[in-house]
Amino acid sequence: MRKSQHKQVNISLRIAIVMAFLLCCFVVVVVRAFSIQVRGAEFYQTQGEKRHVREVEIPVSRGSIYDRNGEPLALSTAMVSVGIVPGQLLDQFSKVEQLAEVLELDANELKQIITARKDRHFLFIKRRITPMLADQVKALNMDGVEFRTEFKRFYPTGEILANVVGFTDVEDVGQEGLERTYDNWLTGTSGKKTVVKDLLGQVVADIDIDELEAAKPGKDLHLSIDRRLQYAAYLGLKKAVYKHQATSGSAVVLDVKTGEILAMVNQPSFNPNGSKDTNEGLRNRSVTDIYEPGSVMKPFAVVAALESAEYTPKSVVNTSPGEYEVDGFVIHDFRDYGELSLVDILVKSSNIGVAKLVLGLGKEHLWDVYQRFGYGQSSGSGFMGESAGYLPHHERWRTADHAALSRGYNLSVTTLQLASAYSVFANQGRYRAPTFIKGNINEDKAIIDPMIASQLTDMLSHVVMDNEGHKAFIPNYSVAGKTGTARIAEKGGYSDNYMSSFVGFSPVSSPRLVVAVSINNPRGDEYYGGLVAAPVFSEIMKTGLRLLNVPADQVTRTLVDLNDENAAEGEDAG
Amino acid sequence: MNIQNGMTVTFIFLLVAVLVNYVYFQNETRKLFAETQGVEKEKLELNAEWARLQIEMSTLVSNSRIEQVARDQLNMKLPQDEQIMVIVR
């Protein structure tokens, strides 16, 4: 009994000891759980998130650039860029060698970079590789190597449109041309989202949907350029620049009705898909380069004369004897033209004729006319880097300057300005700022009397039609325009180098296109605008009228008159 | 007492059912998410492919190539000025 009693006590004591022990364990567990879940919660949560939660960028592409018919001019393609986390690669140099081999990098250099920048979180080692090459890198299965989607810009038209469209740098930021002008429009905003990744690095869930920064892809740009016409204009200009061994050249084609720039070409040019190491071709000379235009300005001097109401197109000016002294400077004509009407002053391009016209009018009036046609001001096309040209204020003109301005010296213009100014004649006296964007048509405003505009149109058509075998002539279409051959200014005077130009429009009865061509410093035997620039004008205009299906207005050879019943019957009988 | 027991059992079953359901749908969500990820990736790839094809097409239809094919393979040429006649209506 005693023994059993003793045993009983013993058992309950043991139970108590075990219970106490278990309780202790439980307390320890609870305390530990408390310390982890409550006191250390933040630490462990961040540690956990560090391992599984990632912020990933949602890459977006830059907007594409298209011509007016939807043909691509600049496209972005997705490429893969390879980056490394240097700290994670320090202990696997054998794999780094494989990586360097696949990417065709110098292995030693890469190792140096890894050691030197081991604290950096991320750095690119090779950008914009093809997805195929990227798969080879992925196959190496290395920690510390990351891939990002980046976009490469491609320009299908190459050098034909290079200095107008421009290009982007390695960060996809527009550097030149329209890529730079419309950079904000074209650039998208890459988005960000937070995701949970599992051990294998697969994304398992999106979190923080609310804070997700939405990705906004870049917007597309539709230019007013017509790729076919651009190509024809480029070939025409390039051929002429080569043939006459000229330093450079530009040509602009404007739609008279809308002010849209249908083509804009320059020589020299460059390949936007290759390295841009030549500086010469990068400029869009049509809008950045200014020069003294010469005789192509004479029609504007004639506008001033007609506005004064002292002259009509039939008024006669005596230009004998072919020399005329103004303020100590002697103005020459090609020869003694005798008495010339205003029309013939333009046809013969008489320097003395225009000088006599404007000297009687007052400086302010001529300045005002030039100003109204947009000289000395930016054309309003919005092209970044566009030059406003140069038109000195009339208060600073001496009499000799006054005469010089009438024949296109002492002021500087761009080829685009010339094209815009001539389109005023073609557009019933209304000026419309040119545009590079399809459908973005600027308001036009009347700057001269429509009557004077039509008189000038008529006079300018005589310039081409009255000169036998004029190189600006286009079969079946009437053409109006004016040549220019200006000496290029040098330090201390004028050189023997010339700027040859031709600006004109067609068809005269209902003008559709304005083409301005300027060729800088032709070094062959020919340098007159009529011989160098006019053939380019005619070639571009001819192609343009054909491409736009403009009806002929001056038919020289007809096949059959369908309204003539006899002719039609005769055709049937035959 | 019986009613209480019955309710407890019902709630336990309900709870189990809800929990199983939760797990099931969590899994379903993951699967659908993985699918969207795959589709998104496919979209990116198709976009890239489209851009590549567009570039390829633009080289194939480039004016200089068409001119060359028209001239060399099809023996075409631009008519000379004197070969052009206009039909007047």
Side-chain angles (χ1 to χ4, degrees), chain A residues 456-528:
Chain A
L456 253 299
T457 302
D458 186 52
M459 292 161 97
L460 288 171
S461 75
H462 278 289
V463 172
V464 179
M465 300 307 169
D466 288 5
N467 281 317
E468 188 81 18
H470 199 291
K471 292 282 195 284
F473 181 78
I474 303 168
N476 297 327
Y477 290 94
S478 52
V479 176
K482 182 81 190 75
T483 54
T485 312
R487 281 176 181 267
I488 295 168
E490 269 185 350
K491 234 180 229 164
Y494 283 92
S495 65
D496 278 337
N497 299 330
Y498 292 87
M499 176 63 92
S500 308
S501 47
F502 189 92
V503 193
F505 49 91
S506 180
V508 172
S509 55
S510 166
R512 184 66 205 278
L513 293 177
V514 176
V515 176
V517 179
S518 61
I519 292 178
N520 175 17
N521 192 15
R523 273 165 290 192
D525 296 335
E526 295 166 337
Y527 57 84
Y528 281 109

Side-chain angles (χ1 to χ4, degrees), chain A residues 241-298:
Chain A
V241 165
Y242 178 77
K243 181 182 167 195
H244 299 286
Q245 300 157 51
T247 311
S248 63
S250 295
V252 175
V253 183
L254 283 183
D255 187 324
V256 169
K257 295 196 173 92
T258 60
E260 286 175 308
I261 296 164
L262 298 180
M264 180 176 272
V265 293
N266 302 287
Q267 272 289 307
S269 187
F270 66 99
N271 176 13
N273 297 312
S275 64
K276 290 101 189 167
D277 39 15
T278 59
N279 248 331
E280 268 306 292
L282 298 187
R283 279 199 322 277
N284 181 5
R285 290 166 190 270
S286 308
V287 301
T288 61
D289 282 21
I290 58 171
Y291 50 89
E292 290 177 288
S295 304
V296 286
M297 288 302 288
K298 284 174 185 163

Side-chain angles (χ1 to χ4, degrees), chain A residues 297 300-302 304-305 358 361-372 391 394 397 401-407:
Chain A
M297 288 302 288
F300 305 101
V302 171
V358 299
L361 297 174
K363 294 166 184 168
E364 189 171 354
H365 185 198
L366 185 64
W367 177 82
D368 179 52
V369 171
Y370 283 6
Q371 177 99 345
R372 268 185 275 150
L391 175 64
H394 60 86
W397 297 3
D401 296 331
H402 192 178
L405 275 144
S406 73
R407 57 175 198 278

